[in-house]
Amino acid sequence: MSLLQQAADPVRVTAAATSLAAAGATAAKVIEQVANAVTDQRLVPHALLHAGVLREDGRLTEAAPLLLAQAHAMVAMSVEDNWDLVLTVPTFLRESLNSMSRDNGGPGLPLDTERTLRMVAESAKDRLVMAAPYLHPSFVSALAPAMADLLANGGRAVVITRALGVSAPKRSETNVDSVSILREAAGANGGHLKICSWDEAGLGVHFKVLLADEHLAYVGSANLTPGGTSSHAEAGVLLRGRRVRSLSRWLHVVADELIRRSLA
């Protein structure tokens, strides 16, 4: 279980492995499916052997589909509505964070904002939503390859931000440059990239969210900028489970309304 939960989407990984085993796939295919999603890849064959999914000769056991289905159900139960603390910790606070961890028995360190955002973006298979009032080319460039891969494989992406239009009060050239990077990364698949901007007075949209496939999302105070991911003290959560779908639906509503207002 702990090995499977290293995956960005352990429920999807175990479901795919179960389907492969049920369809008569080779053990190598099942191992590859799991290993590609976890950090400790070399442990996968040993874990599957210990779980009774693999035989000593390296082939799948007859019980493999059932055992993997049980693992899928257990993982789904364990990650449903699960969350982890995500922090951006600037240099002046790092020792305080280490002390907090030691005082509470450690390690217990929270997730890092920059690594978490990259992981969420790279996990998207069908849909990726980037939402923040402030973007920056240097950080958006780090997420652009994941978005480009998603679009190339038939997925869709939505960017929700502000002050992109030429008529927007205090138009943000930094946001404009960031969106240009994403459009360039999308290339021929740009039709699957939707850009939505609040171009009226005030902030309009102020949430900071990165959401993948209605199952995984960062929600917090950090903008998609170097400051938000390294220099400022920021706090957020990494959400997993069914409640992410509600957030996804809300972002869809916001995107549609921003497009409607831009066309009005």
Side-chain angles (χ1 to χ4, degrees):
M1 282 286 290
S2 60
L3 183 64
L4 289 169
Q5 287 176 337
Q6 291 179 1
D9 187 356
V11 176
R12 177 176 293 194
V13 171
T14 50
T18 302
S19 296
L20 286 171
T26 64
K29 287 291 186 183
V30 174
I31 292 171
E32 181 183 17
Q33 177 67 46
V34 178
N36 285 342
V38 302
T39 303
D40 298 321
Q41 297 181 349
R42 287 180 291 182
L43 296 180
V44 172
H46 303 290
L48 294 178
L49 178 65
H50 179 73
V53 174
L54 288 184
R55 296 177 4 178
E56 291 287 348
D57 62 7
R59 292 186 294 173
L60 293 178
T61 64
E62 292 183 2
L66 175 61
L67 293 170
L68 287 168
Q70 291 173 342
H72 173 240
M74 292 173 64
V75 168
M77 290 174 62
S78 69
V79 304
E80 189 68 19
D81 299 325
N82 189 16
W83 66 275
D84 289 299
L85 178 64
V86 182
L87 298 180
T88 301
V89 183
T91 303
F92 78 93
L93 285 174
R94 286 178 189 164
E95 181 53 38
S96 297
L97 176 64
N98 292 334
S99 297
M100 182 188 77
S101 178
R102 289 193 299 268
D103 292 344
N104 287 278
L109 290 174
L111 301 178
D112 172 75
T113 301
E114 181 175 355
R115 286 195 290 270
T116 298
L117 290 171
R118 290 181 186 233
M119 181 271 289
V120 172
E122 291 167 0
S123 75
K125 304 299 181 186
D126 300 311
R127 186 167 181 258
L128 178 67
V129 181
M130 300 183 188
Y134 300 104
L135 310 174
H136 194 279
S138 64
F139 186 73
V140 167
S141 295
L143 302 183
M147 189 202 71
D149 289 343
L150 169 70
L151 298 179
N153 289 309
R156 295 181 177 273
V158 179
V159 177
I160 300 174
T161 188
R162 58 176 298 278
L164 296 179
V166 293
S167 62
K170 298 182 180 178
R171 188 181 192 222
S172 172
E173 296 299 332
T174 305
N175 284 358
V176 170
D177 291 344
S178 298
V179 168
S180 295
I181 289 170
L182 295 175
R183 289 191 188 278
E184 183 177 353
N189 302 302
H192 290 168
L193 171 61
K194 181 189 294 185
I195 305 296
C196 311
S197 176
W198 170 263
D199 290 332
E200 302 172 46
L203 280 173
V205 291
H206 198 242
F207 44 61
K208 294 89 174 177
V209 179
L210 191 67
L211 184 147
D213 299 338
E214 298 193 345
H215 71 272
L216 188 68
Y218 166 84
V219 183
S221 64
N223 284 294
L224 303 185
T225 65
T229 56
S230 62
S231 303
H232 307 153
E234 308 279 3
V237 292
L238 178 66
L239 299 175
R240 304 178 184 88
R242 62 185 178 182
R243 293 184 182 177
V244 176
R245 298 171 196 162
S246 297
L247 176 60
S248 178
R249 286 194 291 269
W250 169 240
L251 294 174
H252 181 77
V253 168
V254 173
D256 284 350
E257 177 62 16
L258 290 177
I259 291 174
R260 186 193 70 78
R261 296 179 76 88
S262 68
L263 297 175

